[in-house]
Amino acid sequence: QFVHFGRQWLHIAPVADIDRDPQLFPTFNGQVAQAMDQELEMFLQEMLLADGYNISDFLNWDQVFANNTLASFYGLNGAGNQMTKIAAGSQRGGVLRLGAVLARNSNFPESHPIKRGLLVRNNLLCQEFGVPPANVGEVEPFDPSKPTRERFTAHSENETCASCHQFIDEVGFAFENYDAVGAYRTSEANGAAVDASGSISGLYRMTDPDTHVFSNLQDLSDILSTGAMQSASSCVAEQFQRMMDGEAKPDSCTIANTVARWNP
């Protein structure tokens, strides 16, 4: 039940079902995808059911579950033939750096800062946006000669888009060290160095003036696991209440009671 809840909450369907460009991502295969699915489910069970964890661990854990196949894909050592708990290293750890989460919030040829930024705003902080206007326009098509950040920034600078995307895209850029299959990278297809820096504001309410600067996804995870701990704690309780009640907007008092019970 908790694995089912976690997959619904994070909108993570099985990685084994995704389609990615084999020319761009030759090291990604069915065995890697299967291990990513297992990792996600073991992570959810560990965080949501085992003793001694809190929302800070969920966002910024120092271990991962991996077998030899997944550890090799992640560039880690210490795993065996079976999925086991190993040290995460500097590039993994926490929900935002799970291969399943990264791969599922991407497209066929590329990473997707909008999907990844919305994952943080919608699913971890419970901050919602209205329906995009009909004339919002599209991000220009994938072009390996152009950095992802350049193409998505051009889209978000459109006056029609900026009112929402100012809160989304820059958060999504923090994930840019991870490609469309969740593999770590320091440069893009054209050889340009990845720029994963930026800032996030409004950890409690998007309109609040607080601003937090990050250099990469590790920094963003640190910010969320400290400054946004209360917001994220309330959000996970709200998401759980949605599933239990079958209501998109659970009663606020019910959510508050769930938060109070879960706080210890």
Side-chain angles (χ1 to χ4, degrees), residues 7-263:
R7 281 193 178 275
Q8 283 204 330
W9 163 32
L10 300 169
H11 295 175
I12 307 298
V15 184
D17 296 340
I18 70 171
D19 187 20
R20 292 291 178 266
D21 189 329
Q23 300 299 317
L24 294 175
F25 312 110
T27 61
F28 182 74
N29 55 40
Q31 289 74 34
V32 171
Q34 183 181 32
M36 285 181 176
D37 279 325
Q38 289 181 280
E39 177 194 22
L40 172 65
E41 297 192 358
M42 294 174 78
F43 174 80
L44 289 170
Q45 291 178 54
E46 183 86 3
M47 290 292 122
L48 297 175
L49 294 175
D51 290 334
Y53 293 109
N54 58 36
I55 197 69
S56 183
D57 299 303
F58 185 83
L59 291 161
N60 204 10
W61 199 34
D62 61 357
Q63 298 184 77
V64 297
F65 290 101
N67 57 14
N68 280 330
T69 298
L70 189 58
S72 176
F73 185 80
Y74 284 169
L76 299 173
N77 297 310
N81 293 328
Q82 304 300 316
M83 297 291 289
T84 187
K85 196 186 298 183
I86 62 173
S90 61
Q91 298 167 7
R92 300 288 163 178
V95 65
L96 297 181
R97 290 179 286 177
L98 290 173
V101 172
L102 293 161
R104 266 293 170 191
N105 286 281
S106 300
N107 279 354
F108 178 71
E110 62 173 337
S111 63
H112 203 290
I114 296 174
K115 289 183 179 181
R116 291 170 170 184
L118 283 172
L119 169 72
V120 174
R121 290 292 188 185
N122 289 347
N123 303 89
L124 297 183
L125 299 178
C126 287
Q127 297 173 350
E128 299 181 358
F129 299 85
V131 177
N135 61 342
V136 69
E138 299 289 336
V139 178
E140 65 178 276
F142 174 66
D143 180 350
S145 69
K146 279 189 174 182
T148 305
R149 187 168 189 138
E150 180 182 324
R151 290 170 38 253
F152 278 81
T153 297
H155 170 259
S156 62
E157 286 177 347
N158 179 314
E159 187 175 340
T160 308
C161 311
S163 59
C164 289
H165 283 270
Q166 62 178 312
F167 299 109
I168 301 168
D169 293 28
E170 193 156 349
V171 177
F173 291 143
F175 295 76
E176 275 301 287
N177 280 120
Y178 300 86
D179 66 18
V181 295
Y184 187 82
R185 63 180 181 174
T186 56
S187 60
E188 297 198 50
N190 66 346
V194 166
D195 179 4
S197 64
S199 64
I200 181 171
S201 59
L203 295 181
Y204 180 64
R205 283 186 299 263
M206 280 187 289
T207 53
D208 287 347
D210 59 299
T211 300
H212 313 267
V213 177
F214 55 78
S215 298
N216 50 38
L217 191 52
Q218 171 69 67
D219 288 352
L220 179 61
S221 296
D222 289 342
I223 291 165
L224 294 173
S225 66
T226 53
M229 189 174 179
Q230 189 56 49
S231 297
S233 297
S234 297
C235 185
V236 66
E238 179 175 342
Q239 300 280 12
F240 184 76
Q241 205 69 51
R242 283 177 181 172
M243 188 183 79
M244 295 304 295
D245 294 347
E247 297 180 1
K249 295 288 184 184
D251 175 73
S252 59
C253 292
T254 303
I255 295 170
N257 288 336
T258 302
V259 172
R261 290 199 315 273
W262 286 16
N263 265 341

